[in-house]
Amino acid sequence: MKKRAARLYAMIGWFVAVVASATAASFYTETFTEPSEGWQDRDTGKMSVTWLSSGGYPGGCIRGSFSSQAYPLPQNDGLVATGRLTSAAFTGDYYNAGIFLLGFDFMAADHMPAVAEVRLYSGSSYASCYFHAAVTEPGVWNSFRFPLHSPEAGGWIVQPTVFNGVMYNVSRVEFVINRANESEQSFYFDNIFVDALPAPGGIVSTV
C-alpha cells in the first residue's frame, strides 16, 4: 500500500511539474518545422490556418487564408498561440522570464491586409500594435520586432498600468488580420519568437 501511495504521489508531482513547465513563458523561436505546435485560428469559418512544410522564411510556416466572397464583407480572424505544445513558451510571465522582445516574419501573399495587428492578452485585457502600414508589398517577407519593456517603446496601444499587468501574465498571443476585399487571399507567418533583447527603435521592417 505504501509503495502504491508513493508511486501515486510521484506521478502527481511529475504531472504538476509538466503542467507548470508547459505554462511558463521562456525564450523561444517557433520555426514551424513541425505541424502548428499549438497555434490555431481564432474563429471557425473565417480564416483557415494551415501548417506548411515549405514556403516559409525558410522551411515551414503557418498560412492564414480567406476564401473568396460573392461580394465584399468585412471579415477578420486571428492566428492564436493557445498555450499548448511549444506555443506554451509564448504564455505566462514575460517579465520574470526576462522576455522584452516579440518578433516574427510576415508575408502578404497576394493582397495587402486591410489591417494587421498583434495582440497580447491577459484575460480580457490586451495590448495591441498595428503593423500593416509597415508591410512593404505582396509576396515579400517582412521582419518585425516589438520591444516589450514599455508600451511607448514598441508602439503598444494600451494604458501603462494595463500593459504591465499583461506582461506579467500573458494568456494568449494573437495576430489579427482584416481581409482586404472579396478575393481569395493568404498571409504567412514564420519565426515567431520571444527574447531578452529589446530593439532600439519601435517597429523594424526588414525586407
Side-chain angles (χ1 to χ4, degrees), residues 80-155:
V80 179
T82 63
R84 295 182 294 106
L85 304 174
T86 59
S87 77
F90 297 89
T91 60
D93 186 339
Y94 277 26
Y95 281 175
N96 280 320
I99 294 171
F100 292 97
L101 181 67
L102 169 69
F104 57 94
D105 295 325
F106 174 83
M107 180 176 68
D110 31 42
H111 294 273
M112 301 288 278
V115 175
E117 174 189 6
V118 57
R119 296 179 181 177
L120 298 178
Y121 278 86
S122 181
S124 59
S125 299
Y126 69 89
S128 67
C129 194
Y130 294 92
F131 62 92
H132 55 276
V135 177
T136 56
E137 60 182 297
V140 175
W141 282 98
N142 291 254
S143 297
F144 294 96
R145 307 291 182 263
F146 295 88
L148 301 171
H149 53 282
S150 73
E152 297 81 10

Side-chain angles (χ1 to χ4, degrees), residues 20 22 30 39 55 78 114 130 134 146 179 183 189 196 203:
E30 182 57 82
W39 295 81
Y130 294 92
F146 295 88
R179 68 179 303 149
S183 300
F189 294 87
I203 300 174

